[in-house]
Amino acid sequence: MNRIAFMVLRNCYRVPIWFYQLCRLSKPSDSHTEEERYRFLKNVVKKVNKTGRVTVKCFGTEHIPKQDGFIMFPNHQGYYDSLAILETCPRPFGIVIKKEALNWILVKQVVALIRGIGIDRNDIRASMEVIKQVTDQVKNGRNFLIFPEGTRSQKENQLLDFKGGTFKSALNARCPIVPVALIDCYKPFDISSIRKETVQVHYLEPIYPEQYIGMKTKEIADIVHDRIQKTINENMS
């Protein structure tokens, strides 16, 4: 967590202004468009990453569907993952995040700004409601980010099993599934260092409804898992 403190210190004169704007834009009554809110957040994240001595290398943005209404499924390496995707993804998206994380300052405001959804992983009924919310929003043209491992791997560039249930919203919405391979994203925040780090984000070819309709969610999860792990293995420095 040394880097988080380092980032805050290097941006100490900006933080009050950023936080004020973040709180204002995160209000449900805010009149800015989703694109405007996302553009603000993206610019902040780019500056934070640069001053935090983290370089994000991005590959495959041409694979992101041209039409909104898709779900991205990345592997989950650490707390830095979302910052890497926010810097590189050209399209606004919401996020599904564990409910307890909404109690963390900044995380709460960021999730509210991008109109993300908290999920109680111990409440089956509440989880089903989240699946329905995501399904409905994706059908209406919003994009989402869901971590199918359900928790941080803590195994560096090795993946945990993907949970089939995390793909129910995509299956119900019949939307494009975009696998995202994150490489070395555990390093910026999970290693106690402020040395320069380089992380990679690979947007893989999407899986379209006609390719997965008829499959079980676990089968889809395994396909996405294996494509991401293959990409990681091929691109590790």
Side-chain angles (χ1 to χ4, degrees), residues 6 12 55 71 132 183 212:
F6 181 69
C12 60
T55 299
I71 302 179
K132 183 180 184 303
I183 301 176
Y212 65 73

Side-chain angles (χ1 to χ4, degrees), residues 195-208:
R195 66 171 182 253
K196 292 182 180 179
E197 296 288 0
T198 298
V199 305
Q200 299 179 43
V201 181
H202 295 256
Y203 296 94
L204 310 186
E205 290 187 15
I207 305 171
Y208 289 97

Side-chain angles (χ1 to χ4, degrees), residues 24-35:
R24 182 168 57 88
L25 292 170
S26 66
K27 291 180 179 179
S29 59
D30 179 71
S31 61
H32 290 82
T33 66
E34 184 172 32
E35 289 75 15

Side-chain angles (χ1 to χ4, degrees), residues 60-72:
T61 52
E62 69 276 9
H63 293 145
I64 297 175
K66 303 300 181 187
Q67 185 174 347
D68 287 325
F70 58 83
I71 302 179
M72 296 180 287

Side-chain angles (χ1 to χ4, degrees), residues 166-182:
T166 58
F167 290 85
K168 285 183 178 178
S169 292
L171 190 62
N172 293 342
R174 296 198 172 197
C175 71
I177 291 170
V178 183
V180 184
L182 303 179

